Amino acid sequence: MNKRYYVLVTCMLMLSLHHISLAQSHIDQLISNMTLEQKVGQMTQLNLGFLSTKSDQENVNIKQVDPDKLTEAIHGYHVGSILNNAGTAYTVDEWHDILRLIQDIALDTELQIPVLYGIDAIHGATYTKGSTLFPHNIGLAASRNRQLAYDIAVVTAKETRASGLRWNFDPVIDVGRNPLWPRFGETFGEDPYLVSQMGVNIIKGYEHDGLDSHTAVASCMKHFVGYSVPKSGKDRTESYISDITLWQKHIPSFKAAIEAGASTIMINSSMINDVPVHSSYEILTELLRNKLGFEGLIITDWEDIIRLHVRHKIAETPREAVKIAINAGIDMSMVPSSFSFCKHLVDLVKNGEIPEERLDESVRRILTFKTDLGLFNNPYPEVEAKSNFGDPQYRVLALEAARESMTLLKNENNILPLPKDKHYLVLGPGANCVSALNGAWSYSWQGDKEELYPDDYKTVMDVLTARISNKQLMSNVTNGYEDKNNFTLSFTEDELKKVDYVLLFLGENAYAESPGNIDDLTLDEDQIELAKRAANLGKPVVLILTEGRPRIINDFSDKMDAILMSYIPGSMGAQAIVDVLFGDYNPSGILPFTYPSHTGDLVTYDHKFLTAMVQTAPNKTKYGGHHPEFEYGHGLSYTTFSISPIQFASDTIDIKGVLDVSITVTNTGDVYGQKCIDVFLQDHYASYAPDMKNLKYFTKVSLNSGEEVELKFTLDSSDLFYYNEKGERMFEKGDYTLMVGDQSRDFYFAN
Ligand code: BGC
């Protein structure tokens, strides 16, 4: 190292160590001066709506932030954190006004500790008017593009911080393994490796410049752990997960995020194996803190302490609920609409039921987090951050992301791409609706308020009208899913004669969390009927699905000539869909989940050998126990690709060794295209029944027609273990098969 550089680095290091110790001594001093009530206040998070009054506006749900209520909370109860909004999204300037008001009140206290504001900026800056919304995670996962995830997170961080908000309750790194679950669309799908890789990139994107930078936000990985597999499929209901499955499927994404330095974590509202996670010392302290080494802040989910009493019924009183949760390891309670937490916690400490030192640990984490976010240096919204809002390039990125997520599931006789000079009949409730394209967390919690979307957010109908002439389009579809006429087909014979193709837009309207609960994964009856009637017209039908989870379509899927999965593609979703339909963009997305064909066959691709088999007679079995509509990783293109036989440097690997792998991918078709490559591993025999296969690596290549690329990657022993029920890594010698596309090759792990 160059000497001058060495001196510079040493000075910088000393300065930052000095800065850290100054910060620590500031925090020590604060804690030693704090009353019990002040400590409890720091651990309390309230909803902005609770600190607001009903306004006289027409919409009764929108409230005005109330300075008196804020003062009562911050001065009277020393509350240290606030979240959410008071019933609506705000402009950047409105956010700045609200946050300035809050910090003015906070700085007018004896200790002058700034308030920490948290928000759900999911797939973009959810609650800031005019922000850019990106595809939801489920579509982003289909792109298999880590860089894209990172870039989207950077933009989301910039627009969120520009709004004065520094803490983002995102990403969801729960693993989507029950497609009924209404938050399935918030996940990166069913595979733990895919979820880990995409989740870590999102976290790095949010925190990219350091938490005190005016371009970054703190992340909050959620919801630890096991939230995504409720037995009933309904949100916030119980899951039953064996320890081995917890380690193999649910813990890896959180482990990866912790190792990547994620700053905060939110807890699973529900229960695992009859134990509410918010009450579990074993999960929050022994597992999360001691075993996984998480040192950041642990926050509850919404009302989840009091719910130990009112819903989970494990605490006889609300006071008992507070005692259980704090002793389990919670740092901050998202109360969020009462002062009960403050009152009970003060009382519990005074009565010796919770040691004050336990509170000191949490308060130290909270104050350290506030310091890291730069709140003590500059508590007010950063005016210079405002210029990072609304850059037109963000919409370009949103279009790229929506395009890369598009997944072509079926294309009989290469009916797509469509000619631009034909006549089209446009049907289905999704054709003329912005909220279905943007889904949950879009300017409102449910995302279903069309009037809140920016004017430049287009419906598919808007884009179609601009792309081909109005005369080539026939449609009766009005706005959205509410209008029953949107499920009908009311055209005369003469009108229908002109039609060359039918474009059918089905799926789901926007929903978030429990309001999205369903009793049946099958698509609604009226949509199925419409699809059947469309198919009976005798014209080719292209089905475009816009949905956050795979709704079952097997009643009519065979009658569709093409099927395009658009997931929940966000602000530029309509453009991306139309681009794919007319060949202005060649689709490359591949499914991040198994698309089920039947409600009784909800199985992930990494199932056991048993699930693949059917026993036809006592000693006879055959394959065919599982019949998905579309397999995990399925996705077509307008070009074709070939994958060469897999090359290994050696056919054996030992515990310290690496296996160098190479494959050549060739674009054998006529047009440019991108190809997502999933690499799977199969362990032939193991002491605990192995999965059929597991994703170990993925990448994506871009190739012109006739072009080829050699892909090289390595496997090592970190790819060749599985977790047992204690979370120990099991390395077992034996035969393995590596699988890429239609290629596979065996090797031996010598251990
Ligand atoms: C959700 C969380 C969210 C929180 C705050 C809860 O209902 O489960 O994911 O971060 O609300 O809005």
Side-chain angles (χ1 to χ4, degrees), residues 83 120 169 183 222-223 236 266 301-302 334 513:
L83 87 154
D120 293 282
F169 301 135
R183 305 191 75 170
K222 64 190 189 183
H223 310 75
R236 290 187 163 79
M266 190 184 291
D301 201 343
W302 188 271
M334 188 187 286
E513 302 183 35

Side-chain angles (χ1 to χ4, degrees), residues 50-61:
F50 175 64
L51 304 169
S52 308
T53 20
K54 284 218 161 56
S55 70
D56 51 7
Q57 293 178 15
E58 271 171 35
N59 188 338
V60 288
N61 295 320

Side-chain angles (χ1 to χ4, degrees), residues 39-100:
K39 290 176 187 172
V40 169
Q42 285 302 310
M43 295 169 67
T44 305
Q45 186 179 63
L46 297 179
N47 185 24
L48 190 66
F50 175 64
L51 304 169
S52 308
T53 20
K54 284 218 161 56
S55 70
D56 51 7
Q57 293 178 15
E58 271 171 35
N59 188 338
V60 288
N61 295 320
I62 302 177
K63 297 175 174 178
Q64 293 295 322
V65 178
D66 182 338
D68 292 339
K69 290 194 173 183
L70 280 172
T71 307
E72 184 194 11
I74 297 170
H75 289 200
Y77 289 90
H78 317 284
V79 167
S81 186
I82 300 178
L83 87 154
N84 209 13
N85 57 66
T88 188
Y90 305 111
T91 63
V92 168
D93 286 333
E94 285 166 344
W95 268 122
H96 278 231
D97 289 346
I98 292 170
L99 288 155
R100 262 199 305 272

